Amino acid sequence: MDSEPPAAGIDVSKPHPARRYDYWLGGKNNFPADRASADVVAEAFPTIRLAALENRSFLRRAVDYLAEAGVRQFLDIGTGLPTAGNVHEIAQSIAPESRVVYVDNDPIVLLHARELLDSSPEGATAYLDADVRDPADILRKLDESRMLDLDRPVALMLVAIMHFITDDASPYELVRTLCDALPSGSYLVMSHATSDHMSAEELADTNAANQRSGVPFRLRTTEEFARFFTGLDLVSPGVGSVMAWRPGEWRPHPRPEAVAMLGAVARIP
């Protein structure tokens, strides 16, 4: 399906992670630059669409688990374009009073934010235009919005976002700053692309494809991913493939190397 015409002020000549992810999920809010970038990645990693779908399934299961555990506030950074099973839809289906704040820095996501703001009458949703690379700005805008009560637990969602943060941007410090701003009893939910199953040659090919794609990207090993959770209390089963995190009903799973996505949920003490 053809994408909708770009709105004024949106640069569609450069690929954007949110629109590229939308393309992999079968959406229509993407443009030629996004599709070209996505196809370059798919040449090196042909199962990328499967990885995107499994990552989305992990998000749904994590939100379901936290809502059932009593969490009523969610901060979803790197929201991306609306698709089936947004955080507020999952959380409010279990607890209608849930409050969700979405954060992204893509103008086209902002244009579609109305779909993210379709809250239940008992709950609330909001959208903040901010960048994960500037946690101080996120926290300031969050405070100004008064949407979340930071004296009560919050689920910090960093799903498929931190692999766009390269080492020079201090990814571990960014996550720590956000976690430190949340009260005890909050949670960190993360997923991240991994190089665990790649040979040296495959990793070199994938890194070269990512560089050609025009979107900064940093694959991390299980050990590197686990560092994000230092000092936190991991929820069973801990760090592993997104497919293995509380998978629920049995179904034939793809090979972990075909998905190459790590996921984990941890409680902030």
Side-chain angles (χ1 to χ4, degrees):
M1 184 179 294
D2 293 338
S3 56
E4 297 176 358
I10 294 179
D11 182 2
V12 299
S13 66
K14 298 178 181 179
H16 190 281
R19 300 193 302 261
R20 195 171 70 173
Y21 192 59
D22 176 73
Y23 172 61
W24 283 328
L25 289 174
K28 62 188 180 72
N29 296 303
N30 50 76
F31 299 94
D34 307 307
R35 296 190 284 271
S37 173
D39 289 342
V40 167
V41 174
E43 288 178 9
F45 188 56
T47 55
I48 186 64
R49 287 180 175 83
L50 176 62
L53 291 169
E54 289 292 342
N55 178 73
R56 195 72 187 179
S57 180
F58 164 76
L59 177 146
R60 289 194 294 268
R61 297 195 307 276
V63 174
D64 183 84
Y65 168 82
L66 292 173
E68 292 283 4
V71 176
R72 298 294 179 262
Q73 301 188 111
F74 296 81
L75 177 60
D76 183 9
I77 300 177
T79 301
L81 288 153
T83 186
N86 296 302
V87 171
H88 73 280
E89 294 170 331
I90 303 165
Q92 291 178 352
S93 71
I94 297 169
E97 69 274 22
S98 297
R99 303 174 72 85
V100 180
V101 173
Y102 293 104
V103 179
D104 210 298
N105 69 333
D106 183 8
I108 201 167
V109 177
L110 177 59
L111 284 178
H112 291 270
R114 63 185 180 276
E115 297 177 45
L116 298 172
L117 304 180
D118 184 22
S119 173
S120 67
E122 301 92 335
T125 61
Y127 178 90
L128 301 181
D129 182 12
D131 193 317
V132 69
R133 291 167 293 191
D134 190 351
D137 183 53
I138 292 175
L139 294 171
R140 177 182 60 81
K141 290 178 177 177
L142 185 63
D143 181 63
E144 291 172 351
S145 75
R146 300 186 179 277
M147 270 291 298
L148 301 182
D149 178 359
L150 295 186
D151 290 326
R152 297 173 54 235
V154 176
L156 171 61
M157 314 287 298
L158 295 172
V159 176
I161 181 66
M162 293 308 296
H163 45 226
F164 296 112
I165 308 302
T166 50
D167 294 342
D168 59 320
S170 304
Y172 298 103
E173 289 78 2
L174 296 179
V175 174
R176 178 55 55 188
T177 297
L178 291 165
C179 287
D180 285 349
L182 302 179
S184 174
S186 295
Y187 287 84
L188 171 63
V189 179
M190 283 188 66
S191 64
H192 196 296
T194 184
S195 58
D196 279 357
H197 309 286
M198 297 181 182
S199 66
E201 182 179 358
E202 289 169 334
L203 178 58
D205 289 344
T206 300
N207 286 337
N210 283 326
Q211 188 170 9
R212 293 196 308 274
S213 76
V215 175
F217 202 87
R218 170 66 157 87
L219 292 162
R220 293 186 169 94
T221 64
T222 291
E223 292 74 18
E224 290 172 316
F225 177 64
R227 280 183 57 196
F228 286 110
F229 298 90
T230 299
L232 308 184
D233 300 325
L234 285 165
V235 172
S236 179
V239 172
S241 169
V242 291
M243 298 182 299
W245 199 88
R246 297 177 177 261
E249 75 282 355
W250 183 90
R251 62 186 176 87
H253 289 292
R255 295 170 292 113
E257 56 267 34
V259 174
M261 290 288 292
L262 299 169
V265 177
R267 185 181 183 275
I268 299 173

